[in-house]
Amino acid sequence: MNNRVVSEKPQAVYFYGTCLIDLFYPQAGIGAIELLRREGVSVIYPQSQTCCGQPAWNSGYRDEALAVARRQLALFPRPIPLVIPSASCAGMMKMHYPALFRDQSDEATALNVAGRVYELTAFLVDVLDIRLTDLGDPVSVVVHTSCSARRELGVGDKLHTLLRQLHNVEILEPENSAECCGFGGTFAVKQPEISAAMALDKAATVRATGAQRLVSQDCGCLMNIGDVIEKQNQVMPRQHIAELLWERTKN
Amino acid sequence: MSTEFRSNVAHALKQDAVQTHLRTVVDRLRAHRQGALSDDAAFEQLRNRCEAIRADAIRRLPDLLEQFESNAQRNGIQVHWAETTLQANQIVLGIMQQHRATFLVKGKSMVSEEMGVNAFLQSHGIDCLETDLGEFIVQLADEKPAHIIVPAIHKKRREIARLIHGHFPGLPYNEDIETLAQSVRHFMRDKFRAAPVGLTGVNFMVAETGTLCLVENEGNGRLCSTLPPVHIAVTGIEKVIARLDDLPPLLNLLTRSATGQPITAYVNMINSPRRPDDKDGPDEVHLILLDNGRSRIAGDPELLETLHCIRCGACINHCPVYRQIGGHAYGTVIPGPIGAILEPQKQGFNAAAGELPQASTLCGACAEVCPVRIPIPAIINRLRWESVRKNQQSQNSRPVVPGAGSGRKPLEALIWKIWAWCCTHPGIYNRLTKLATRLRNRLPADMGVWTAVRKAPKPAQATLHEHLRTMNIDHE
């Protein structure tokens, strides 16, 4: 799917870091911003951003989700793209804000923002047509494509498009690659036993590739799978795609 | 918090052998389906057509049912309406008693499972024999089906061999599938000949002709519906479609999605009881149309898509949760994603099934494969909301789903309130996230089940917000 809604390279974009990256994986956010800026796009990061509201939305607490989402809407007034380094959070804003804000007074604003949302890898590939030169040492990475990227936004292939530009990176796919890792946000809290069983299965297929690193476009999956692998005393550093790309292509 | 579902899950996850076997079979079913979809574009067109057929049928449900009834009656089929499963069971019992019948043979039918007709009739001294091989195995084991298409999906060959040997002690023990199937087939023949009544399900009802369509692979459905003098068909009211022309695309899609077959071995089209010049067929055909909450579901513009389901089981085969826990853990007649949306709507949130909308990571695999594109994740989301929502509009109007709001727990609601307050107050949010980063080495290492298999997540040394304040970035 081509998610492109702007026809040419924008001068500026809003950047939405997501709460998970804010607290656990800031290097992913920094990497993404550096990549965008190197392409000549100036990045606006509203400091009042918090969370897109997805955890409450997926848990049925729509009033709370709406209050939080509404607070985010106000941060993106200019008619420029909103780039999000997570398919899960981008999916929330792009695909679910329209339902969340249905019949609300600010529905039009929500639809407008939703229409400007880009998942990072899709933005880099489809809008910026980014060209990357690999400056790093040879490394093998196992790719986990998040369910939101693969099925909700249909941008799962962008990760591969980007990685294929790095000639020193060997891309490995785990067996059963389309299967969910079992995170599912509050699912991991509400049904921890199933979540754990799924995470163990996913970690086993990821480890079986023998890759040196684990890469994804979503930090929820990275946390889930990566924390299992660490618990098993295995060394397979996890990296958000943006962090990996920046690390290997910066001068 | 331990619930019935959670303890079912805990039990299921301990059955390592069953789990491994289940995965093998589920993966095989996925591969079969994939193998049956050679041309993507043609398949998507077929899905479009069938999605439209089912949407149209459910939108016009009352009209189509009336049309179907009058055509079926004109053909000589006796149509009975049942609002509840008890009523449906009583109708079956009435027909049995009218014919002084104490025994019936059954084809595979999920609606008969929904009715619990076997147990009901048993309590009135009537025996039911499952004649579908998978259902027969499940009956021998005194269990419930673990899948809507493959009832004995959880049973390994050796276990099946033992069950059959136990039932036919005269036969030598054998694990060969052909031999096992032959043994059962020989046993069944006499039962079909002797049975006064045959009971089956229905895949589709055609309104314009009053036809019942039943697909199957073993021929037992045909025997149940032709050999005994009385045929009773049971089905849910949502199985109606408008035209005969609607049937070929639906069957094509159903069998490919279910088992990867282009067509089933048997396609039965039942129009009427035996006519004077017919070589075979029953003297009476009864159809019992079960509502059991379906018309209530049809009244909601979003939830009604649940009724579009054609029971292919593709969502079940592709569900990562089902793949882990199997069918029995759901504790319902229909398991998997479709069960997780249908059963709570039927039974309400106060029933054990009320927790099933939680049995999903919202990964979207179900919606991706659903032949008629039921938006299962969106319906799960809606049901999670219905489960915990407050302020139901009016006391007089019945809630869309019984027990709406009953899943709202004070502590959980309070946590979400606090969360929302923090996330709507960036100053507070920033202070809290900063605090978490400063305490990163002093956070608890034990976080229950999460840390049983994972290391505890550790906040970064500084938040992205903090990092970016020192970078040359426009913060607006």
mmCIF file of all heavy atoms in Angstrom, chain B residues 138-174:
data_model
loop_
_atom_site.group_PDB
_atom_site.id
_atom_site.type_symbol
_atom_site.label_atom_id
_atom_site.label_comp_id
_atom_site.label_asym_id
_atom_site.label_seq_id
_atom_site.Cartn_x
_atom_site.Cartn_y
_atom_site.Cartn_z
ATOM 1 N N VAL B 138 -15.087 -37.172 19.328
ATOM 2 C CA VAL B 138 -15.329 -36.287 20.463
ATOM 3 C C VAL B 138 -16.411 -36.879 21.378
ATOM 4 O O VAL B 138 -16.310 -36.827 22.604
ATOM 5 C CB VAL B 138 -15.738 -34.875 19.950
ATOM 6 C CG1 VAL B 138 -16.290 -34.029 21.073
ATOM 7 C CG2 VAL B 138 -14.544 -34.186 19.302
ATOM 8 N N GLN B 139 -17.435 -37.474 20.759
ATOM 9 C CA GLN B 139 -18.506 -38.092 21.546
ATOM 10 C C GLN B 139 -17.974 -39.289 22.342
ATOM 11 O O GLN B 139 -18.309 -39.449 23.523
ATOM 12 C CB GLN B 139 -19.653 -38.542 20.632
ATOM 13 C CG GLN B 139 -20.905 -38.942 21.403
ATOM 14 C CD GLN B 139 -22.067 -39.296 20.465
ATOM 15 O OE1 GLN B 139 -21.875 -39.802 19.370
ATOM 16 N NE2 GLN B 139 -23.286 -39.016 20.927
ATOM 17 N N LEU B 140 -17.132 -40.099 21.706
ATOM 18 C CA LEU B 140 -16.539 -41.244 22.415
ATOM 19 C C LEU B 140 -15.736 -40.786 23.623
ATOM 20 O O LEU B 140 -15.727 -41.422 24.665
ATOM 21 C CB LEU B 140 -15.618 -42.053 21.487
ATOM 22 C CG LEU B 140 -16.251 -42.895 20.394
ATOM 23 C CD1 LEU B 140 -15.177 -43.690 19.670
ATOM 24 C CD2 LEU B 140 -17.306 -43.834 20.970
ATOM 25 N N ALA B 141 -15.045 -39.658 23.455
ATOM 26 C CA ALA B 141 -14.199 -39.137 24.532
ATOM 27 C C ALA B 141 -15.006 -38.346 25.555
ATOM 28 O O ALA B 141 -14.446 -37.862 26.542
ATOM 29 C CB ALA B 141 -13.099 -38.256 23.940
ATOM 30 N N ASP B 142 -16.308 -38.203 25.299
ATOM 31 C CA ASP B 142 -17.180 -37.430 26.173
ATOM 32 C C ASP B 142 -16.663 -35.994 26.333
ATOM 33 O O ASP B 142 -16.570 -35.464 27.438
ATOM 34 C CB ASP B 142 -17.306 -38.116 27.538
ATOM 35 C CG ASP B 142 -18.489 -37.559 28.325
ATOM 36 O OD1 ASP B 142 -19.386 -36.963 27.698
ATOM 37 O OD2 ASP B 142 -18.501 -37.705 29.569
ATOM 38 N N GLU B 143 -16.302 -35.408 25.192
ATOM 39 C CA GLU B 143 -15.808 -34.037 25.216
ATOM 40 C C GLU B 143 -16.673 -33.155 24.316
ATOM 41 O O GLU B 143 -17.695 -33.602 23.798
ATOM 42 C CB GLU B 143 -14.355 -34.009 24.709
ATOM 43 C CG GLU B 143 -13.374 -34.669 25.670
ATOM 44 C CD GLU B 143 -11.960 -34.662 25.122
ATOM 45 O OE1 GLU B 143 -11.731 -34.073 24.056
ATOM 46 O OE2 GLU B 143 -11.087 -35.260 25.775
ATOM 47 N N LYS B 144 -16.228 -31.928 24.143
ATOM 48 C CA LYS B 144 -16.883 -31.003 23.211
ATOM 49 C C LYS B 144 -15.941 -30.779 22.021
ATOM 50 O O LYS B 144 -14.730 -30.940 22.160
ATOM 51 C CB LYS B 144 -17.133 -29.650 23.882
ATOM 52 C CG LYS B 144 -17.982 -29.735 25.133
ATOM 53 C CD LYS B 144 -19.436 -29.522 24.806
ATOM 54 C CE LYS B 144 -20.265 -29.395 26.077
ATOM 55 N NZ LYS B 144 -21.499 -30.170 26.014
ATOM 56 N N PRO B 145 -16.484 -30.382 20.879
ATOM 57 C CA PRO B 145 -15.607 -30.078 19.750
ATOM 58 C C PRO B 145 -14.615 -28.971 20.119
ATOM 59 O O PRO B 145 -14.975 -28.037 20.833
ATOM 60 C CB PRO B 145 -16.560 -29.584 18.659
ATOM 61 C CG PRO B 145 -17.911 -30.047 19.060
ATOM 62 C CD PRO B 145 -17.901 -30.165 20.552
ATOM 63 N N ALA B 146 -13.381 -29.089 19.627
ATOM 64 C CA ALA B 146 -12.360 -28.079 19.908
ATOM 65 C C ALA B 146 -12.173 -27.121 18.735
ATOM 66 O O ALA B 146 -11.328 -26.235 18.772
ATOM 67 C CB ALA B 146 -11.027 -28.748 20.243
ATOM 68 N N HIS B 147 -12.982 -27.319 17.695
ATOM 69 C CA HIS B 147 -12.862 -26.521 16.475
ATOM 70 C C HIS B 147 -14.172 -26.682 15.727
ATOM 71 O O HIS B 147 -14.811 -27.728 15.815
ATOM 72 C CB HIS B 147 -11.680 -27.052 15.655
ATOM 73 C CG HIS B 147 -11.275 -26.185 14.490
ATOM 74 N ND1 HIS B 147 -12.033 -26.081 13.345
ATOM 75 C CD2 HIS B 147 -10.184 -25.410 14.296
ATOM 76 C CE1 HIS B 147 -11.417 -25.259 12.500
ATOM 77 N NE2 HIS B 147 -10.300 -24.831 13.055
ATOM 78 N N ILE B 148 -14.573 -25.682 14.965
ATOM 79 C CA ILE B 148 -15.889 -25.782 14.312
ATOM 80 C C ILE B 148 -15.848 -26.616 13.042
ATOM 81 O O ILE B 148 -16.868 -27.110 12.583
ATOM 82 C CB ILE B 148 -16.501 -24.389 14.024
ATOM 83 C CG1 ILE B 148 -15.650 -23.588 13.030
ATOM 84 C CG2 ILE B 148 -16.691 -23.611 15.309
ATOM 85 C CD1 ILE B 148 -16.334 -22.304 12.566
ATOM 86 N N ILE B 149 -14.681 -26.764 12.435
ATOM 87 C CA ILE B 149 -14.564 -27.568 11.214
ATOM 88 C C ILE B 149 -13.894 -28.910 11.512
ATOM 89 O O ILE B 149 -14.224 -29.923 10.913
ATOM 90 C CB ILE B 149 -13.725 -26.813 10.149
ATOM 91 C CG1 ILE B 149 -14.363 -25.467 9.813
ATOM 92 C CG2 ILE B 149 -13.539 -27.657 8.886
ATOM 93 C CD1 ILE B 149 -15.669 -25.557 9.076
ATOM 94 N N VAL B 150 -12.953 -28.876 12.431
ATOM 95 C CA VAL B 150 -12.185 -30.073 12.784
ATOM 96 C C VAL B 150 -12.428 -30.348 14.273
ATOM 97 O O VAL B 150 -11.605 -29.989 15.110
ATOM 98 C CB VAL B 150 -10.673 -29.837 12.533
ATOM 99 C CG1 VAL B 150 -9.914 -31.152 12.518
ATOM 100 C CG2 VAL B 150 -10.444 -29.074 11.241
ATOM 101 N N PRO B 151 -13.549 -30.996 14.586
ATOM 102 C CA PRO B 151 -13.948 -31.088 16.004
ATOM 103 C C PRO B 151 -12.910 -31.784 16.884
ATOM 104 O O PRO B 151 -12.727 -31.413 18.038
ATOM 105 C CB PRO B 151 -15.237 -31.919 15.969
ATOM 106 C CG PRO B 151 -15.681 -31.964 14.553
ATOM 107 C CD PRO B 151 -14.513 -31.654 13.684
ATOM 108 N N ALA B 152 -12.226 -32.793 16.305
ATOM 109 C CA ALA B 152 -11.258 -33.565 17.100
ATOM 110 C C ALA B 152 -9.835 -33.122 16.802
ATOM 111 O O ALA B 152 -8.901 -33.909 16.868
ATOM 112 C CB ALA B 152 -11.435 -35.050 16.823
ATOM 113 N N ILE B 153 -9.674 -31.840 16.506
ATOM 114 C CA ILE B 153 -8.364 -31.301 16.141
ATOM 115 C C ILE B 153 -7.303 -31.572 17.211
ATOM 116 O O ILE B 153 -6.124 -31.698 16.926
ATOM 117 C CB ILE B 153 -8.473 -29.773 15.857
ATOM 118 C CG1 ILE B 153 -7.192 -29.235 15.213
ATOM 119 C CG2 ILE B 153 -8.827 -28.996 17.116
ATOM 120 C CD1 ILE B 153 -7.317 -27.805 14.701
ATOM 121 N N HIS B 154 -7.766 -31.670 18.450
ATOM 122 C CA HIS B 154 -6.844 -31.815 19.577
ATOM 123 C C HIS B 154 -6.424 -33.264 19.810
ATOM 124 O O HIS B 154 -5.592 -33.535 20.665
ATOM 125 C CB HIS B 154 -7.493 -31.250 20.835
ATOM 126 C CG HIS B 154 -8.813 -31.888 21.169
ATOM 127 N ND1 HIS B 154 -9.879 -31.882 20.293
ATOM 128 C CD2 HIS B 154 -9.232 -32.572 22.256
ATOM 129 C CE1 HIS B 154 -10.914 -32.521 20.843
ATOM 130 N NE2 HIS B 154 -10.528 -32.952 22.022
ATOM 131 N N LYS B 155 -7.025 -34.193 19.091
ATOM 132 C CA LYS B 155 -6.757 -35.621 19.332
ATOM 133 C C LYS B 155 -5.688 -36.149 18.381
ATOM 134 O O LYS B 155 -5.792 -35.974 17.161
ATOM 135 C CB LYS B 155 -8.048 -36.433 19.117
ATOM 136 C CG LYS B 155 -9.124 -36.143 20.143
ATOM 137 C CD LYS B 155 -8.837 -36.916 21.412
ATOM 138 C CE LYS B 155 -9.940 -36.712 22.421
ATOM 139 N NZ LYS B 155 -9.407 -36.321 23.736
ATOM 140 N N LYS B 156 -4.701 -36.827 18.946
ATOM 141 C CA LYS B 156 -3.671 -37.439 18.112
ATOM 142 C C LYS B 156 -4.134 -38.829 17.692
ATOM 143 O O LYS B 156 -5.034 -39.420 18.291
ATOM 144 C CB LYS B 156 -2.356 -37.535 18.891
ATOM 145 C CG LYS B 156 -1.822 -36.177 19.268
ATOM 146 C CD LYS B 156 -0.573 -36.279 20.101
ATOM 147 C CE LYS B 156 0.648 -36.439 19.222
ATOM 148 N NZ LYS B 156 1.889 -36.099 19.933
ATOM 149 N N ARG B 157 -3.480 -39.312 16.652
ATOM 150 C CA ARG B 157 -3.899 -40.582 16.060
ATOM 151 C C ARG B 157 -3.964 -41.716 17.099
ATOM 152 O O ARG B 157 -4.921 -42.488 17.129
ATOM 153 C CB ARG B 157 -2.911 -40.953 14.950
ATOM 154 C CG ARG B 157 -3.328 -42.201 14.207
ATOM 155 C CD ARG B 157 -2.151 -42.827 13.512
ATOM 156 N NE ARG B 157 -1.547 -41.914 12.551
ATOM 157 C CZ ARG B 157 -0.886 -42.324 11.464
ATOM 158 N NH1 ARG B 157 -0.807 -43.601 11.183
ATOM 159 N NH2 ARG B 157 -0.332 -41.451 10.664
ATOM 160 N N ARG B 158 -2.962 -41.796 17.923
ATOM 161 C CA ARG B 158 -2.906 -42.900 18.891
ATOM 162 C C ARG B 158 -4.086 -42.836 19.866
ATOM 163 O O ARG B 158 -4.702 -43.847 20.193
ATOM 164 C CB ARG B 158 -1.577 -42.808 19.647
ATOM 165 C CG ARG B 158 -1.185 -44.060 20.367
ATOM 166 C CD ARG B 158 0.311 -44.086 20.629
ATOM 167 N NE ARG B 158 1.088 -44.178 19.395
ATOM 168 C CZ ARG B 158 2.411 -43.989 19.317
ATOM 169 N NH1 ARG B 158 3.089 -43.656 20.399
ATOM 170 N NH2 ARG B 158 3.055 -44.103 18.171
ATOM 171 N N GLU B 159 -4.407 -41.630 20.265
ATOM 172 C CA GLU B 159 -5.517 -41.450 21.202
ATOM 173 C C GLU B 159 -6.844 -41.858 20.551
ATOM 174 O O GLU B 159 -7.707 -42.481 21.173
ATOM 175 C CB GLU B 159 -5.563 -39.978 21.618
ATOM 176 C CG GLU B 159 -6.271 -39.712 22.910
ATOM 177 C CD GLU B 159 -6.230 -38.232 23.273
ATOM 178 O OE1 GLU B 159 -5.378 -37.494 22.717
ATOM 179 O OE2 GLU B 159 -7.062 -37.832 24.081
ATOM 180 N N ILE B 160 -6.966 -41.502 19.263
ATOM 181 C CA ILE B 160 -8.165 -41.856 18.510
ATOM 182 C C ILE B 160 -8.250 -43.385 18.372
ATOM 183 O O ILE B 160 -9.318 -43.981 18.568
ATOM 184 C CB ILE B 160 -8.153 -41.169 17.127
ATOM 185 C CG1 ILE B 160 -8.284 -39.656 17.306
ATOM 186 C CG2 ILE B 160 -9.264 -41.710 16.232
ATOM 187 C CD1 ILE B 160 -7.973 -38.843 16.069
ATOM 188 N N ALA B 161 -7.119 -43.986 18.082
ATOM 189 C CA ALA B 161 -7.091 -45.450 17.951
ATOM 190 C C ALA B 161 -7.547 -46.109 19.244
ATOM 191 O O ALA B 161 -8.342 -47.056 19.233
ATOM 192 C CB ALA B 161 -5.676 -45.901 17.580
ATOM 193 N N ARG B 162 -7.081 -45.579 20.355
ATOM 194 C CA ARG B 162 -7.470 -46.157 21.657
ATOM 195 C C ARG B 162 -8.959 -45.981 21.922
ATOM 196 O O ARG B 162 -9.633 -46.879 22.403
ATOM 197 C CB ARG B 162 -6.653 -45.515 22.785
ATOM 198 C CG ARG B 162 -5.262 -46.137 22.956
ATOM 199 C CD ARG B 162 -4.682 -45.801 24.331
ATOM 200 N NE ARG B 162 -4.437 -44.375 24.478
ATOM 201 C CZ ARG B 162 -3.274 -43.789 24.165
ATOM 202 N NH1 ARG B 162 -2.259 -44.507 23.713
ATOM 203 N NH2 ARG B 162 -3.116 -42.487 24.307
ATOM 204 N N LEU B 163 -9.474 -44.794 21.585
ATOM 205 C CA LEU B 163 -10.904 -44.532 21.796
ATOM 206 C C LEU B 163 -11.754 -45.492 20.975
ATOM 207 O O LEU B 163 -12.742 -46.054 21.471
ATOM 208 C CB LEU B 163 -11.241 -43.087 21.394
ATOM 209 C CG LEU B 163 -10.921 -41.984 22.399
ATOM 210 C CD1 LEU B 163 -11.034 -40.621 21.739
ATOM 211 C CD2 LEU B 163 -11.859 -42.074 23.600
ATOM 212 N N ILE B 164 -11.378 -45.673 19.730
ATOM 213 C CA ILE B 164 -12.169 -46.527 18.847
ATOM 214 C C ILE B 164 -12.041 -47.993 19.280
ATOM 215 O O ILE B 164 -13.028 -48.731 19.317
ATOM 216 C CB ILE B 164 -11.746 -46.302 17.374
ATOM 217 C CG1 ILE B 164 -12.222 -44.915 16.944
ATOM 218 C CG2 ILE B 164 -12.324 -47.385 16.462
ATOM 219 C CD1 ILE B 164 -11.841 -44.513 15.542
ATOM 220 N N HIS B 165 -10.850 -48.366 19.667
ATOM 221 C CA HIS B 165 -10.652 -49.728 20.163
ATOM 222 C C HIS B 165 -11.510 -49.963 21.417
ATOM 223 O O HIS B 165 -12.128 -51.022 21.577
ATOM 224 C CB HIS B 165 -9.173 -49.957 20.476
ATOM 225 C CG HIS B 165 -8.876 -51.337 20.950
ATOM 226 N ND1 HIS B 165 -9.050 -52.451 20.152
ATOM 227 C CD2 HIS B 165 -8.424 -51.809 22.142
ATOM 228 C CE1 HIS B 165 -8.728 -53.532 20.828
ATOM 229 N NE2 HIS B 165 -8.346 -53.170 22.041
ATOM 230 N N GLY B 166 -11.562 -48.971 22.260
ATOM 231 C CA GLY B 166 -12.368 -49.095 23.478
ATOM 232 C C GLY B 166 -13.844 -49.254 23.166
ATOM 233 O O GLY B 166 -14.584 -49.930 23.888
ATOM 234 N N HIS B 167 -14.284 -48.644 22.071
ATOM 235 C CA HIS B 167 -15.700 -48.710 21.719
ATOM 236 C C HIS B 167 -16.040 -49.987 20.960
ATOM 237 O O HIS B 167 -17.157 -50.469 21.040
ATOM 238 C CB HIS B 167 -16.068 -47.488 20.866
ATOM 239 C CG HIS B 167 -17.542 -47.302 20.715
ATOM 240 N ND1 HIS B 167 -18.355 -46.948 21.763
ATOM 241 C CD2 HIS B 167 -18.360 -47.453 19.645
ATOM 242 C CE1 HIS B 167 -19.608 -46.860 21.338
ATOM 243 N NE2 HIS B 167 -19.641 -47.176 20.055
ATOM 244 N N PHE B 168 -15.073 -50.490 20.210
ATOM 245 C CA PHE B 168 -15.304 -51.736 19.451
ATOM 246 C C PHE B 168 -14.275 -52.776 19.895
ATOM 247 O O PHE B 168 -13.333 -53.071 19.162
ATOM 248 C CB PHE B 168 -15.140 -51.496 17.943
ATOM 249 C CG PHE B 168 -15.975 -50.375 17.393
ATOM 250 C CD1 PHE B 168 -15.402 -49.168 17.040
ATOM 251 C CD2 PHE B 168 -17.347 -50.544 17.224
ATOM 252 C CE1 PHE B 168 -16.176 -48.134 16.537
ATOM 253 C CE2 PHE B 168 -18.116 -49.499 16.710
ATOM 254 C CZ PHE B 168 -17.532 -48.291 16.373
ATOM 255 N N PRO B 169 -14.443 -53.309 21.091
ATOM 256 C CA PRO B 169 -13.403 -54.196 21.627
ATOM 257 C C PRO B 169 -13.186 -55.429 20.751
ATOM 258 O O PRO B 169 -12.127 -56.058 20.810
ATOM 259 C CB PRO B 169 -13.927 -54.596 23.003
ATOM 260 C CG PRO B 169 -15.265 -53.992 23.161
ATOM 261 C CD PRO B 169 -15.604 -53.182 21.972
ATOM 262 N N GLY B 170 -14.153 -55.782 19.917
ATOM 263 C CA GLY B 170 -13.986 -56.931 19.037
ATOM 264 C C GLY B 170 -12.924 -56.714 17.972
ATOM 265 O O GLY B 170 -12.315 -57.665 17.479
ATOM 266 N N LEU B 171 -12.695 -55.431 17.638
ATOM 267 C CA LEU B 171 -11.736 -55.144 16.571
ATOM 268 C C LEU B 171 -10.325 -55.145 17.121
ATOM 269 O O LEU B 171 -10.091 -54.668 18.233
ATOM 270 C CB LEU B 171 -12.033 -53.764 15.970
ATOM 271 C CG LEU B 171 -13.311 -53.635 15.153
ATOM 272 C CD1 LEU B 171 -13.518 -52.181 14.768
ATOM 273 C CD2 LEU B 171 -13.245 -54.505 13.910
ATOM 274 N N PRO B 172 -9.370 -55.669 16.344
ATOM 275 C CA PRO B 172 -7.984 -55.588 16.810
ATOM 276 C C PRO B 172 -7.525 -54.129 16.838
ATOM 277 O O PRO B 172 -7.955 -53.329 16.008
ATOM 278 C CB PRO B 172 -7.202 -56.397 15.769
ATOM 279 C CG PRO B 172 -8.088 -56.500 14.582
ATOM 280 C CD PRO B 172 -9.496 -56.364 15.052
ATOM 281 N N TYR B 173 -6.653 -53.819 17.814
ATOM 282 C CA TYR B 173 -6.145 -52.452 17.932
ATOM 283 C C TYR B 173 -5.355 -52.084 16.682
ATOM 284 O O TYR B 173 -4.543 -52.862 16.191
ATOM 285 C CB TYR B 173 -5.247 -52.330 19.163
ATOM 286 C CG TYR B 173 -4.647 -50.961 19.331
ATOM 287 C CD1 TYR B 173 -5.392 -49.940 19.906
ATOM 288 C CD2 TYR B 173 -3.351 -50.683 18.907
ATOM 289 C CE1 TYR B 173 -4.845 -48.678 20.053
ATOM 290 C CE2 TYR B 173 -2.802 -49.427 19.044
ATOM 291 C CZ TYR B 173 -3.559 -48.421 19.619
ATOM 292 O OH TYR B 173 -3.016 -47.172 19.770
ATOM 293 N N ASN B 174 -5.640 -50.897 16.155
ATOM 294 C CA ASN B 174 -5.002 -50.488 14.915
ATOM 295 C C ASN B 174 -4.826 -48.984 14.901
ATOM 296 O O ASN B 174 -5.684 -48.261 15.379
ATOM 297 C CB ASN B 174 -5.902 -50.921 13.748
ATOM 298 C CG ASN B 174 -5.148 -50.917 12.446
ATOM 299 O OD1 ASN B 174 -4.580 -49.908 12.049
ATOM 300 N ND2 ASN B 174 -5.130 -52.065 11.778
#
